Amino acid sequence: MIRGLFRYLFTDQIEDDNLINRHQSQNLLTINWVVFTFWAAWSLSTLFYLESTTEEIRLAYTLGIIALVTGPVVFLALKAGYLPPARLTLIASTIFASGVAVFFLPQSGEKFILLLMLPLAVSGMVLDRRGLAVVGIVLVMIVVADDLLAIREGGIQTGNPFVETFRVTLILTAIIIILLILNGARRQDGNAYYEEIEQIKTMVQSLTDITPQTDVTELHQRVIRLMRNSFGYDFAQIYLLNDHDKFSRRVRAGIRSMEELPERDMFSLGDANARSEAARVRQIVQVTAYDPPGRSHHLLPSIQQGIIVPMISKGKSIGIIDVQRVTMVPLTTEEMQTLQIIANEVAALTVLLGHVATRERDLREQEAITNRLLAQLTSVQAQRQQLIGDAWGQYIERRGRSTFGYDLTDGRVMRAEDMTETMRSTLQNGEPFITIENDEKLINVPILLRGQVLGAMSFAVPVDRPVTERQIELASTVALRLGSALESTRLLEQTQAQANRERKANEISNLLINTTDIDTLLELAADNFNDTLGAIQTRIYIEPQVFSDAEEPANGNNNSNITYGSPTHTNGDGP
């Protein structure tokens, strides 16, 4: 409970991106309670002290009222997040309380400087140099008014009042000067660090959302906007080196694409100018409008100062960031470091995005090649499946049927004369599935050969028997092996038939070659063709004239031909 109360009393509610303002608000809240406690303790000690004078009692009441009014007001203002009103209220109350104490107390001197130190200390913590100077002048005026107007009642003055006023004023002036120096240096350093932090935050916010899909030109445009909006430069551009150490590409504000420079506008890494020098020595180079034309010719009209920052990646310059501004502003070490950090980060991202773009281009080319190969493979597979289908169609037709199948019933294999609708669905779908028919559970599995459906098979099990995935997988494997076995058997039969045909052809060829008489040769040919091919009639007709353009023979024979034929046979038998 005590910890919670302490946290409530000494924690403000200000929401400000400025870290200095947040710290000042927290310090002001603590100072408010210190001042409140100081004035309250002063008042209570004076009131309970029996020998206090009338002026001291009046002062105690005055300070008590000031503490009771200003303390809660400042506290509530800070809790609500109103820093400037709370700051002015606290400073005004301390000045007023110190002035009242000076006027009420009986004597003035160096010891009363302690009363005036309180508003000086508070002002030195929360005000800038101008505000602190104003507070110092007001306090000096209070001291001078106290001594010159002599408004004390019943007090005894000793010595020269002007000398005492001069001494007090001199001491206050020395204290004010010291506070001005310390306060100014502290606030200047704080503002410088805050600006640097804000610049780094802006840089991080600009570069953290870079994705592999971000274009290099978009990255460079963000950097140019960062230089102009956050760093206050009037002009910015980026040059990139090519493989031949020439600055051949440029990005400017408002240009959506990277500009390819003409040959006359290119410059090399070894040229004697400021831009090449920055990339060559890998250090920031500053240029002014008063430099020789060889160094400042790239500056735009009305530009007074230019800064060239090298973009370094893995110890090698890949480009430069050229920023320019109209006014001459000294470049601090911190700003130079920040600019170099930004340039190095941009260089690393530029190289990375370049690699990503190259990989994406290679990937697209590989995808195009892969798609072409897949299309060719699909075409080959389709042709292969067509060949398989045609081969099996011809094979089945030679067997005298369009389809054939077998059933195993009661341990006997019987020829299946028809195809059930379930089997037909299996052929169409090409996937195994389970149906229930006539109190039986049928496992229907397609017979596949290289992805082509050759047929289907089904297994009947009792309806109350569960069928597992392993059983379906086993059935599919069996069907797949069956398809391979059918193809092997078909090929074997074709091979055997081809070998038989070759053997018969060789026998006939040998028989014909060994015959020396033309008539006998033709008769043997007709008979063997009739027997081998199963023909019912064979005729051989020889007419050489159709193959020659020569004139007719001198004897005038117009029908010189030989015709041989075998008798008409039925099933290979004679008439």
Side-chain angles (χ1 to χ4, degrees), residues 42 54 64 110 260 311 375 377 393 429 457 470:
W42 185 313
T54 304
E110 289 84 350
E260 293 289 340
M311 298 168 53
L377 180 60
N429 298 332
M457 58 189 302
R470 292 182 61 84

Side-chain angles (χ1 to χ4, degrees), residues 385-404:
Q385 292 179 357
Q386 182 67 30
L387 292 175
I388 293 174
D390 294 343
W392 273 94
Q394 296 173 3
Y395 175 76
I396 294 176
E397 288 179 0
R398 285 198 299 269
R399 298 177 67 93
R401 301 179 64 182
S402 60
T403 61
F404 63 92

Side-chain angles (χ1 to χ4, degrees), residues 207-472:
L207 301 181
T208 49
D209 57 346
I210 298 296
T211 64
Q213 289 74 31
T214 303
D215 186 69
V216 175
T217 305
E218 180 182 353
L219 167 65
H220 294 169
Q221 288 291 347
R222 293 187 185 185
V223 176
I224 292 174
R225 290 193 296 268
L226 176 66
M227 293 297 175
R228 299 180 62 181
N229 299 333
S230 299
F231 287 81
Y233 292 100
D234 300 293
F235 177 75
Q237 60 184 350
I238 295 176
Y239 288 90
L240 293 180
L241 279 166
N242 59 16
D243 296 335
H244 304 288
D245 290 338
K246 283 190 175 183
F247 293 91
S248 60
R249 292 171 294 172
R250 178 176 59 188
V251 178
R252 289 187 174 185
I255 302 178
R256 296 185 178 180
S257 60
M258 187 173 296
E259 180 183 2
E260 293 289 340
L261 296 176
E263 187 67 28
R264 66 177 182 275
D265 294 335
M266 294 183 185
F267 54 98
S268 302
L269 188 63
D271 292 348
N273 56 63
R275 292 176 294 182
S276 299
E277 179 185 350
R280 186 170 58 252
V281 301
R282 298 192 293 274
Q283 292 181 358
I284 295 178
V285 174
Q286 300 186 54
V287 182
T288 66
Y290 306 101
D291 289 343
R295 291 179 58 86
S296 61
H297 72 279
H298 67 281
L299 297 179
L300 298 179
S302 73
I303 292 295
Q304 296 294 320
Q305 182 182 22
I307 301 169
I308 301 98
V309 187
M311 298 168 53
I312 304 172
S313 176
K314 296 181 179 179
K316 180 181 179 182
S317 296
I318 67 167
I320 58 171
I321 301 177
D322 177 20
V323 292
Q324 305 175 17
R325 52 189 169 195
V326 176
T327 58
M328 292 285 294
V329 179
L331 194 64
T332 63
T333 304
E334 291 77 12
E335 187 175 0
M336 293 179 62
Q337 292 176 353
T338 304
L339 289 175
Q340 191 60 67
I341 290 174
I342 294 175
N344 292 344
E345 290 297 327
V346 174
L349 289 174
T350 301
V351 174
L352 178 60
L353 293 178
H355 290 332
V356 171
T358 302
R359 297 296 181 270
E360 288 182 349
R361 183 172 60 253
D362 295 341
L363 180 60
R364 287 193 296 269
E365 294 177 356
Q366 293 295 330
E367 287 179 349
I369 296 174
T370 302
N371 292 334
R372 289 197 298 269
L373 292 177
L374 288 176
Q376 296 175 1
L377 180 60
T378 302
S379 176
V380 171
Q381 289 178 346
Q383 294 176 1
R384 185 181 64 182
Q385 292 179 357
Q386 182 67 30
L387 292 175
I388 293 174
D390 294 343
W392 273 94
Q394 296 173 3
Y395 175 76
I396 294 176
E397 288 179 0
R398 285 198 299 269
R399 298 177 67 93
R401 301 179 64 182
S402 60
T403 61
F404 63 92
Y406 297 90
D407 289 336
L408 176 62
T409 305
D410 297 331
R412 294 181 300 172
V413 178
M414 303 176 59
R415 183 184 295 273
E417 300 297 336
D418 57 353
M419 182 185 297
T420 63
E421 291 298 328
T422 303
M423 300 287 283
R424 196 177 303 277
S425 299
T426 306
L427 291 174
Q428 294 176 354
N429 298 332
E431 296 290 338
F433 64 95
I434 300 175
T435 58
I436 298 178
E437 297 180 3
N438 300 326
D439 297 333
E440 291 180 340
K441 187 179 295 184
L442 298 180
I443 305 174
N444 304 281
V445 183
I447 301 173
L448 303 177
L449 176 63
R450 303 186 186 96
Q452 179 74 18
V453 179
L454 291 182
M457 58 189 302
S458 64
F459 305 90
V461 298
V463 70
D464 57 348
R465 179 181 298 177
V467 179
T468 63
E469 293 292 335
R470 292 182 61 84
Q471 290 176 325
I472 297 178

